[in-house]
Amino acid sequence: MRPPSQLRQIAGSLLVALAIAAVAVAVVTAHFGPTSTARLEAREDAIDARVDAREERREAAEDRREEAEERREDGGDNSGPG
Amino acid sequence: MEDLIENLTRGNVTEVKVVLATVVAALAVYQLVLAAVSYGKVRPRFLAAGPATWAHRAVGDTVLVLAVLVAVACVAYYGFEEGGAHAVFGCLVLGALAAKVLAVRIGGSSSPLLPWIGIALFGLLMATWLTSAGDFLGVG
């Protein structure tokens, strides 16, 4: 069998180099998983929303507690000797 | 410069650097094979020394461009301070690359220094990759 022409050998060698580069990119990208900025931003937004919701619930509970304490104090003043 | 790199990589500076460095490392292994064919140490039936030499140069030029891009991104974005062994190996790689280009320009492609500089360059490239990208990927 005749060996391939020089041009074909060069083209083949360069194609192998391209394939090696493509495989390297694919393997490393697969190793990283989803790292797109959009997904990371969406994840950060979700975390921020959870933190905000927790903060709002905490503030609402604090307000209710303060109101209850004020009512109790007001009630205490009324019940004293007049 | 930092902003330019950040914009070009869309905030994924480390990931892009690791991908490019891994491509350089993989192509460096292929370069070793092509050099072995080029010097007649390996004689496959489907690839002669002449085409192997031509491909070795073409792939080498590509590797040079990629390596310089990675080095510029690395120094501009991370600096030298926390580089440690990686920074030292990276500087030596650039030195070896310059020495190889000089050896070809001055001594021609038959320069007896070329194989030794090539082997040193390959070792340094692998050491640089292992102390950064390899470490990041859990290989180093």
Side-chain angles (χ1 to χ4, degrees):
Chain A
M1 200 177 93
R2 264 179 52 201
S5 72
Q6 293 230 334
L7 199 66
R8 275 191 186 180
Q9 289 180 36
I10 291 171
S13 306
L14 295 181
L15 279 177
V16 170
L18 267 178
I20 288 170
V23 168
V25 170
V27 168
V28 178
T29 310
H31 187 275
F32 285 142
T35 54
S36 78
T37 315
R39 284 195 192 189
L40 290 175
E41 276 176 7
R43 196 185 300 170
E44 271 175 28
D45 287 347
I47 291 169
D48 285 346
R50 273 206 299 274
V51 169
D52 287 346
R54 197 181 303 157
E55 191 73 14
E56 274 173 21
R57 279 202 303 273
R58 198 180 58 78
E59 277 174 14
E62 211 163 280
D63 287 347
R64 279 200 301 273
R65 202 168 48 240
E66 276 173 14
E67 274 173 24
E69 269 176 29
E70 273 173 22
R71 270 202 302 271
R72 207 165 43 232
E73 278 171 17
D74 289 346
D77 289 345
N78 290 342
S79 63
Chain B
M1 190 69 177
E2 260 185 68
D3 288 341
L4 176 71
I5 294 168
E6 187 102 25
N7 286 337
L8 283 175
T9 57
R10 295 189 177 185
N12 302 306
V13 182
T14 307
E15 286 78 3
V16 170
K17 202 171 89 75
V18 167
V19 169
L20 288 179
T22 306
V23 169
V24 168
L27 287 178
V29 175
Y30 184 51
Q31 283 287 79
L32 214 60
V33 175
L34 286 175
V37 176
S38 179
Y39 281 108
K41 302 288 180 198
V42 182
R43 296 173 192 273
R45 288 186 58 171
F46 52 84
L47 185 61
T53 305
W54 202 96
H56 180 80
R57 282 184 197 155
V59 175
D61 289 344
T62 311
V63 166
L64 177 69
V65 172
L66 288 177
V68 169
L69 276 177
V70 172
V72 167
C74 201
V75 172
Y77 197 77
Y78 297 102
F80 283 105
E81 288 80 16
E82 293 166 24
H86 174 69
V88 174
F89 285 135
C91 290
L92 289 174
V93 162
L94 292 181
L97 275 169
K100 199 159 188 279
V101 172
L102 267 179
V104 173
R105 293 273 175 256
I106 295 169
S109 56
S110 57
S111 167
L113 281 175
L114 268 182
W116 300 110
I117 299 174
I119 290 168
L121 178 59
F122 175 77
L124 288 169
L125 263 175
M126 287 300 142
T128 312
W129 183 81
L130 280 172
T131 49
S132 175
D135 209 27
F136 196 81
L137 294 169
V139 179

